[in-house]
Structure formats: structure tokens, C-alpha cells
Amino acid sequence: MAGCILVLNGGSSSLKFAAYAVPLAEAGPLLRGQVEGIGAEPHLLLRDGSGAVLEERRFPAEGFDHRAAVLHLHEGLRGHLGDHAVIAIGHRVVHGGDRPAAAERVDAALLDALAALEPLAPLHQPHNLAPIRAIAGLAPALPQVACYDTAFHRTQPPLARSFALPRALSAEGVRRYGFHGLSYEFIAARLMELDPALAAGRVIAAHLGNGASLCAMQGGRSLATTMGFTAADGLMMGTRCGALDPGVLIYLMDRHGMGARDLEALIYRRSGLLGVSGLSQDMRRLRAAGTPEAAEAIALYAYRIVREVGSLAAALGGLDGIVFTAGIGENDAATRAAVCGGCRWLGLALDRERNRTGGPRISAEGSAVSAWVIPTDEERMIARHTLRVTGLA
Ligand code: ADP
């Protein structure tokens, strides 16, 4: 029987998964899918490697939590995996704190250590750990590996990781960590294949999905990023406002009587493209809507990226290339055009036709700063780490 790696990515109301045959080939996963709407209207969608739907199912909301989703996958995937047995499971874990490794084999002590980081990422970490616990109960001998979204940023210099707060707070861990690290690690490796000279230079990668951030890389290592202590900082996102004058929060507490949970809902779920447009967090819907509010949201989205590109270019001491990735970065040519237009002063000249067709290189011949579209693949990065850590490669 052949082996495969199962990758799990638990979100607040979803569980994404993908299975990769071992050894890892260039080809896509054997299957991938997600259970969405956990806690509301649970819905499983499972596709094969070519994207064809293998299974679609709804579950009653009552009692169907992350653990139930894992139980269902544990049983249900067997029928679709044919003669591939799951030999290890890799998990995306949003926060690795100060742990020195990028990925680690899970045991009880590590689970405790990762659970202790929950206060640093209360909206994500518990949902990342729930599937690990469920599998440990179901199949204790199956190797599990935790892959950290913060790990790629460990190479940042201390200045890039600091807030100008009293030292005691920094010592307690209140500082910039950065996220989307598995995506940036994949992009850095892919850029090394596409253009090794550029990969050795100064590059800004723009992960523009529902969450969004920029990462300044030099020689494929993270030097600075727009996300900070939490995934709420930096760019405007689907439903998050990004960087916000901290005085606004104090004003809202004083004048609107808002508490911590109200502020959390405001900055994580009611702001960003959704809040400004008053319509949707989804870029496709905003493009189709064409209302002045949607146009303003889209314009602010690009403006914030351009401003932060300037900041990271300063941190890098110049810029050689910019890479667009994730849902909006890979698919929304108009956002790429707006951002590249705002980066002309850096020496970036866009090739409009290449941008329309999606690259990979979308800058004009002779552009001092090159621009690229590179699809990210965080699940494959997790599968690579899982194989390396378990020694199964
Ligand atoms: P997540 O962070 O949830 O993984 P994605 O990387 O899938 O998110 O990105 C979701 C965003 O990508 C949404 O705003 C969606 O509208 C946008 N998107 C996806 N496809 C397109 C497209 N063809 N054109 C414009 N935007 C797109």
C-alpha cells in the first residue's frame, strides 16, 4: 500500500484539508477540500486532484464541531484515497511563539506549550489544536506535525520585531510575530526556481487573500512584515481594518462604551472591504457591484498596500521585485495594476498584457523592479515540513 500525508488547516468555522502522495511529486494533491460552516451550517466539499467534486454533504449543526469534522474525515477519506494510507498528518498552527523550529512532531508536552500560546491568537490557535487532539485520541500512533505560521519571520532583526512599549511588556511577549509564514516560505522557494538572482535580492511578497499581509525578504529570509502581535495589523483585509491608530480604540471605549469583545468583532469581522463597502468582503462581489462605496473600498485597499510597500522598501533599503499571491493577488489583475501603478516611483513598470494573462512575470522588459504572480500553496509547504520532520521522505 502507498503512503500519503494528510494536511489539516483548522479555522474558526472551517477545516481545510489536502492529501499528498509520498514521495511528494510536482503534481497536485490526491484530493483536497473543506468542511465549512462548523457551528452554523456544516458543509463538506471534497475534490480530487483535478478539481472534480468527489463528495458534497451537509451535516446538522447540532453537535457538529471540529472534533466531529475530524472524525468524519478520518473515516470518510479512506474510501476516496484508494490504496493510499495516511502515514502522517501535518497541521497549520498559527502561533509558534519563540519556538526555534519551523515545524515539530507533536507530543503531549508540545500540545501543552502550544495551548499556552492561545492568549496570543485566541481566534485561531484553539481551532488549530482541536484537530490535533482529536487525532491523538483516535490514532495515537499516527505521527502528527505542527507547522507554524510565525516561524518564517524568526529571521527578522530585533528592531523589526519591537513595539515602542515598556520593556516589561516586550519581555512578556508583546511584540511583532508576523503570520502567513508558510505562504511566504513557499513563495521564497518558488521564486528561487523561477529567478534565482531575484530571490537572492530584495523582494516584497504580497499575500492578498481574506487575510492580507506583506513580507519583506532579503535572500529568501524575512526581514519585516506588516502583521504584528496579531493577524489584525497592517493591510486592510476582507473584514479586518489593519493598522489603526490605537487612540481610536480608546475613543470607542470611552464614547461608545465598547468592551474587548466589541472591539474584537469590529476590527476582525466588521471592517476592511466589508466595513468600507457596506456590502461584502469578497473582491469579486465588489468589482461586480460597481457602487461608489465598493469603489472606495477597493481604492483604499490598494492605497494601503502601496503605502506599506513604501515602508517595507525602506526597511529593505531598496527593492528588486514584488510578488503577488493568494486569492486577490493571483486573480485580481486590477488590484495588481493599481499597486504597481503606485510603485512606479520605485522603478516598477507593469506590462499590462502580461498582467491580464497572469504572468508569472508581469513587469515590462527593462523594469528596474520586476513584478510577479506566483500561486501560493501552504498545504504543500506543510506536507514538505511533515515529511522532513517525521523522516518519512
Ligand atoms: P483565504 O485567506 O480565505 O484562503 P483566498 O486566498 O481564497 O482567501 O482569497 C479570497 C479573496 O480572493 C476574496 O476576496 C475573493 O473575492 C478573491 N478572489 C478569488 N478569485 C478571484 C477572482 N477571480 N477575481 C478577483 N478576486 C478573486
Side-chain angles (χ1 to χ4, degrees):
M1 199 175 211
C4 73
I5 301 290
L6 180 63
V7 173
L8 294 182
N9 179 2
S12 55
S13 64
S14 68
L15 181 64
K16 294 184 184 163
F17 57 88
Y20 292 87
V22 175
L24 275 182
E26 268 306 302
L30 296 167
L31 55 82
R32 70 162 72 223
Q34 54 195 6
V35 183
E36 281 183 327
I38 297 174
E41 292 180 358
H43 175 216
L44 166 75
L45 189 58
L46 172 62
R47 297 175 187 276
D48 69 11
S50 70
V53 175
L54 291 175
E55 188 180 342
E56 184 164 13
R57 237 177 113 168
R58 295 188 183 278
F59 301 90
E62 194 68 23
F64 195 90
D65 55 8
H66 284 77
R67 193 183 139 71
V70 170
L71 286 176
H72 178 81
L73 291 182
H74 186 68
E75 287 306 315
L77 289 186
R78 278 201 197 123
H80 295 296
L81 285 170
D83 61 355
H84 285 92
V86 176
I87 55 173
I89 302 189
H91 298 265
R92 177 205 219 137
V93 173
V94 77
H95 223 302
D98 287 323
R99 301 195 69 79
E104 296 178 284
R105 177 94 176 245
V106 178
D107 58 17
L110 180 62
L111 252 180
D112 287 346
L114 296 178
L117 295 170
E118 283 182 3
L120 298 185
L123 301 183
H124 295 96
Q125 193 88 336
H127 305 297
N128 301 153
L129 301 186
I132 302 183
R133 287 201 186 89
I135 305 262
L138 279 173
L142 191 60
Q144 299 198 75
V145 174
C147 305
Y148 310 127
D149 233 358
T150 47
F152 186 67
H153 302 296
R154 285 168 310 156
T155 50
Q156 290 180 5
L159 284 185
R161 315 189 72 186
S162 301
F163 292 125
L165 286 168
R167 306 192 74 82
L169 283 171
S170 311
E172 180 183 317
V174 182
R175 56 174 178 73
R176 307 180 67 89
Y177 292 92
F179 301 90
H180 289 141
L182 292 158
S183 175
Y184 292 129
E185 190 179 5
F186 181 88
I187 294 296
R190 186 78 187 100
L191 195 59
M192 186 63 87
E193 294 168 359
L194 287 168
D195 187 341
L198 175 61
R202 299 161 300 183
V203 173
I204 293 177
H207 179 109
L208 309 176
N210 273 317
S213 70
L214 304 179
C215 178
M217 303 191 287
Q218 175 126 44
R221 291 154 69 90
S222 174
L223 223 67
T225 184
T226 55
M227 279 182 170
F229 178 60
T230 67
D233 199 8
L235 302 181
M236 175 176 172
M237 310 182 209
T239 60
R240 291 171 239 171
C241 54
L244 182 69
D245 175 351
V248 172
L249 301 180
I250 296 165
Y251 170 86
L252 293 172
M253 289 193 279
D254 280 345
R255 303 302 292 253
H256 291 256
M258 290 175 82
R261 297 288 78 76
D262 305 316
L263 293 174
E264 183 179 273
L266 176 74
I267 67 173
Y268 278 97
R269 293 191 284 278
R270 293 174 45 211
S271 299
L273 290 172
L274 173 67
V276 178
S277 70
L279 185 69
S280 173
Q281 68 185 73
D282 192 302
M283 184 58 90
R284 281 166 296 195
R285 283 197 59 196
L286 297 185
R287 292 262 177 231
T291 61
E293 293 82 6
E296 194 179 322
I298 292 171
L300 184 56
Y301 186 82
Y303 174 81
R304 290 286 306 123
I305 297 170
V306 170
R307 293 246 328 232
E308 293 292 331
V309 165
S311 163
L312 291 190
L316 285 166
L319 190 64
D320 301 310
I322 179 164
V323 179
F324 294 92
T325 195
I328 295 172
E330 291 167 28
N331 297 298
D332 196 56
T335 292
R336 294 195 300 261
V339 171
C340 291
C343 294
R344 264 195 297 267
W345 66 278
L346 279 162
L348 199 170
L350 184 70
D351 181 316
R352 295 204 166 266
E353 184 54 23
R354 284 188 191 152
N355 184 42
R356 201 180 55 76
T357 53
R361 193 160 68 77
I362 58 170
S363 47
E365 290 304 324
S367 176
V369 173
S370 62
W372 299 75
V373 179
I374 301 179
T376 193
D377 195 341
E378 291 153 295
E379 283 79 20
R380 180 178 289 275
M381 203 64 235
I382 293 171
R384 284 182 194 160
H385 279 305
T386 304
L387 278 176
R388 183 180 52 76
V389 168
T390 54
L392 291 166

